[in-house]
Amino acid sequence: MRPDTNALVVIDVQNDFCDGGALAVPGGSAVVAPINALMQEFSAVVFSQDWHPAGHSSFASEHPGKAPLEMIEMPYGPQVLWPDHCVQGSAGAGFHPDLDTARADVIVRKGYRRTIDSYSAFFENDHTTPTGLEGYLRSRGITNLTLVGLALDFCVQYSARDAARLGFDVEVRCDLCRAIDLGGSLAAARAAMQDAGVRLSD
Ligand code: VGL
Ligand code: ZN
């Protein structure tokens, strides 16, 4: 077992990001079994869950003439447009059926405001509106985070960088993540995480 100051943060292992899902990340389902195994080493396990209302502003379907994976400018900055995914209460928003959800001490939902997306489990995409996860971890005395899940170049990346900026010691187990890899986004994400002081391991 790792010390009680360590938490495993499992990012968005949801049906829509796994094989056959609305925003399937190639190989997404393959991370489930090894993540279940890794949970056994941690006394603190946190999940995040992408949780959008129908008609969320990150959905291309809300922007006439725009297609999924195009970019738009939002009041809070540039935003990739996605296929409709992880709609609150839908099967796609549920966790992968084989994920050991019983081990989650807390599940942090994000992206639930219609007009703003949230890649990071710590802050919405304006980089200032908190989700509450920082306070949860600090009040438990947790200082070291290991991140795993989907997608490495979006929600895992933003969560890892925010966590490092907040002063946590952060490791990303890249072997327990999968990436969307849009136009070089995986290489850019790896570089940005390293610049932020995140440890990348396999
Ligand atoms: C994610 C795109 C849109 C993710 C969530 O979990 O990486 N990516 N919403
Ligand atoms: Zn989303």
Side-chain angles (χ1 to χ4, degrees):
M1 279 303 271
R2 309 208 187 186
D4 286 348
T5 49
N6 291 42
L8 180 65
V9 182
V10 181
I11 301 290
D12 300 2
V13 182
Q14 296 168 252
N15 291 316
D16 271 342
F17 299 123
C18 293
D19 305 306
L23 180 38
V25 182
S29 306
V31 302
V32 174
I35 289 174
N36 285 340
L38 186 60
M39 284 182 206
Q40 305 310 314
E41 293 181 25
F42 287 83
S43 58
V45 177
V46 173
F47 283 17
S48 71
Q49 187 172 26
D50 210 41
W51 193 249
H52 301 307
H56 191 257
S57 58
S58 75
F59 296 169
S61 59
E62 288 298 295
H63 303 270
K66 295 282 182 191
L69 311 186
E70 285 185 40
M71 300 283 305
I72 55 161
E73 204 54 45
M74 293 290 228
Y76 53 83
Q79 169 73 48
V80 181
L81 294 174
W82 302 107
D84 291 25
H85 66 278
C86 295
V87 173
Q88 295 173 2
S90 67
F95 291 109
H96 188 287
D98 298 332
L99 186 69
D100 187 4
T101 55
R103 274 302 326 274
D105 301 333
V106 71
I107 298 172
V108 176
R109 287 174 167 168
K110 61 185 181 62
Y112 47 72
R113 291 190 179 89
R114 204 185 65 80
T115 57
I116 185 166
D117 205 0
S118 186
Y119 293 151
S120 165
F122 291 92
F123 294 99
E124 297 185 0
N125 282 10
D126 60 3
H127 305 292
T128 52
T129 307
T131 62
L133 179 57
E134 178 192 5
Y136 175 83
L137 295 169
R138 287 204 198 287
S139 65
R140 286 188 64 179
I142 289 165
T143 52
N144 292 59
L145 305 179
T146 298
L147 272 66
V148 297
L150 307 171
L152 176 57
D153 43 348
F154 286 92
C155 291
V156 174
Q157 177 203 177
Y158 283 88
S159 299
R161 287 167 58 191
D162 281 344
R165 180 165 57 87
L166 291 169
F168 292 96
D169 180 282
V170 187
E171 170 194 34
V172 171
R173 279 284 300 269
C174 295
D175 57 324
L176 303 188
C177 296
R178 292 294 184 275
I180 297 173
D181 203 9
L182 254 188
S185 60
L186 175 57
R190 293 182 69 102
M193 287 190 283
Q194 274 170 330
D195 286 349
V198 172
R199 272 196 321 287
L200 302 180
S201 61
D202 278 314

